[in-house]
Amino acid sequence: GENVEQHPSTLSVQEGDSAVIKCTYSDSASNYFPWYKQELGKRPQLIIDIRSNVGEKKDQRIAVTLNKTAKHFSLHITETQPEDSAVYFCAASRSSTGANSKLTFGKGITLSVRP
Amino acid sequence: DAEITQSPRHKITETGRQVTLACHQTWNHNNMFWYRQDLGHGLRLIHYSYGVQDTNKGEVSDGYSVSRSNTEDLPLTLESAASSQTSVYFCASSRQLQETQYFGPGTRLLVL
């Protein structure tokens, strides 16, 4: 089955700097890659997703890039703010139907933004 | 407003007891999921359902069961609670597969 890994497990940046969080996946057939943010004590929430037919997607200060050849995708956060401090989960799935549509999550990365 | 709720939010039980965690969504989503979240393991899928009367095992389904008798609810049952099942449990739902999964607020379960 799919294996999704996130590195590093923790990341600390200065407020205003950029943060990049990388995920790798094992199944070359995976075609959907969402990112979820979980603030302390809260539920995970989708912040951005990308499908395999595009290489990059942006939404204000966040962007996701996908490298299908290398089987990795990255979350980019620019002009980080203290409220960006959270655990970020990447995930992957290989199909929009059936059992292969279920998401496989990475273990999460804790991002800390230092004021 | 449509929402997804879980109950109870906190539960303490003893090993060997049967426990049922409730999940209710008002979006009329066909797809519902149960995850457990443990430090160092992220979110792991326990069971999922694509519609009424449909249930499927996820990667960590041993010791758990679900049933889907209507669109709104997917209760998760721990048949005989074990200390290894101490965790935070999240229910989620989605309108379509490979679309946003909306998570419930979570249930924190402690098995003594």
Side-chain angles (χ1 to χ4, degrees), chain A residues 28-42:
Chain A
S28 57
S30 289
N31 58 8
Y32 174 64
F33 307 94
W35 284 91
Y36 283 80
K37 174 185 180 182
Q38 185 180 28
E39 297 177 3
L40 189 63
K42 306 283 186 167

Side-chain angles (χ1 to χ4, degrees), chain A residues 55-94:
Chain A
E56 183 175 4
K57 184 177 180 181
K58 290 183 180 180
D59 183 3
Q60 299 182 343
R61 293 189 298 108
I62 62 173
V64 57
T65 57
L66 172 64
N67 184 325
K68 290 184 289 185
T69 302
K71 291 190 286 187
H72 68 71
F73 56 111
S74 298
L75 178 69
H76 304 255
I77 306 174
T78 59
E79 301 174 13
T80 54
Q81 302 167 3
E83 52 264 39
D84 295 327
S85 296
V87 178
Y88 290 83
F89 293 99
C90 60
S93 78
R94 64 178 291 176

Side-chain angles (χ1 to χ4, degrees), chain B residues 21-50:
Chain B
L21 308 182
C23 175
H24 179 80
Q25 51 95 6
T26 58
W27 283 299
N28 204 37
H29 287 168
N30 282 326
N31 309 307
M32 296 185 73
F33 311 86
W34 272 105
Y35 296 92
R36 60 178 289 176
Q37 183 174 25
D38 305 287
L39 200 61
H41 290 278
L43 293 160
R44 292 184 291 175
L45 184 64
I46 305 171
H47 281 285
Y48 57 103
S49 169
Y50 293 149

Side-chain angles (χ1 to χ4, degrees), chain A:
Chain A
E2 175 68 275
N3 183 43
V4 177
E5 295 189 349
Q6 297 187 237
H7 299 282
S9 60
T10 61
L11 179 63
S12 179
V13 299
Q14 192 70 38
E15 182 178 357
D17 287 350
S18 296
V20 181
I21 303 171
K22 181 178 175 179
C23 275
T24 60
Y25 61 97
S26 62
D27 188 346
S28 57
S30 289
N31 58 8
Y32 174 64
F33 307 94
W35 284 91
Y36 283 80
K37 174 185 180 182
Q38 185 180 28
E39 297 177 3
L40 189 63
K42 306 283 186 167
R43 69 190 79 185
Q45 291 186 298
L46 180 77
I47 54 171
I48 196 167
D49 57 10
I50 191 169
R51 301 179 193 274
S52 59
N53 58 346
V54 298
E56 183 175 4
K57 184 177 180 181
K58 290 183 180 180
D59 183 3
Q60 299 182 343
R61 293 189 298 108
I62 62 173
V64 57
T65 57
L66 172 64
N67 184 325
K68 290 184 289 185
T69 302
K71 291 190 286 187
H72 68 71
F73 56 111
S74 298
L75 178 69
H76 304 255
I77 306 174
T78 59
E79 301 174 13
T80 54
Q81 302 167 3
E83 52 264 39
D84 295 327
S85 296
V87 178
Y88 290 83
F89 293 99
C90 60
S93 78
R94 64 178 291 176
S95 172
S96 61
T97 61
N100 289 324
S101 66
K102 59 185 185 293
L103 289 176
T104 299
F105 283 88
K107 294 181 179 180
I109 290 176
T110 300
L111 173 65
S112 300
V113 179
R114 305 186 303 273

Side-chain angles (χ1 to χ4, degrees), chain B residues 79-99:
Chain B
E79 303 294 344
S80 177
S83 57
S84 60
Q85 295 176 309
T86 292
S87 186
V88 178
Y89 292 86
F90 285 101
C91 177
S93 72
S94 70
R95 184 179 63 93
Q96 299 283 353
L97 299 173
Q98 290 193 336
E99 284 192 0

